[in-house]
Amino acid sequence: MEIERLSFLVTPKDRVEDFVKADKSIWNPWLQQQKGFIQKHYQRYPTGRVDIRIFWQSRADWEAAAQSPQLPALESKLRAEFLGTYQKLS
């Protein structure tokens, strides 16, 4: 099993739940269609940080999903739906 780790900083910080809701509605249906996807977890912090853990059966499954040509459209859809600001942390 492989775990993909993503972290975001949401502003304003009181919009974290709105960000998670938008992320779930856009990304989760796509993830559920990907080979090897197991589950996804969210960790929320009072600072506005959101850590996302995506569990995959294998590194190959994760890497195959990461090459999908649908990713830019999904990201654009999230930016359009979520009215706050977020940035991906390294």
Side-chain angles (χ1 to χ4, degrees):
M1 179 170 48
E2 295 287 330
I3 303 171
E4 180 180 0
R5 293 168 174 85
L6 304 169
S7 296
F8 298 91
L9 185 60
V10 176
T11 54
K13 62 186 176 185
D14 64 346
R15 301 288 314 276
V16 164
E17 287 306 317
D18 294 332
F19 172 80
V20 170
K21 181 179 176 183
D23 182 87
K24 283 181 178 181
S25 73
I26 292 164
W27 284 101
N28 289 9
W30 179 82
L31 282 169
Q32 291 168 354
Q33 296 175 358
Q34 303 311 301
K35 179 180 180 282
F37 171 73
I38 300 171
Q39 62 185 332
K40 183 176 179 181
H41 291 205
Y42 296 88
Q43 178 69 45
R44 301 150 179 90
Y45 299 91
T47 60
R49 181 177 172 147
V50 177
D51 290 342
I52 299 173
R53 302 293 178 257
I54 303 171
F55 297 80
W56 297 95
Q57 288 288 338
S58 70
R59 172 69 69 165
D61 292 335
W62 172 7
E63 290 174 354
Q67 298 302 314
S68 172
Q70 297 172 316
L71 296 181
L74 292 165
E75 181 62 30
S76 292
K77 190 173 180 182
L78 178 60
R79 290 208 180 269
E81 185 168 318
F82 176 65
L83 301 178
T85 303
Y86 63 93
Q87 82 180 58
K88 188 173 180 181
L89 303 173
S90 47

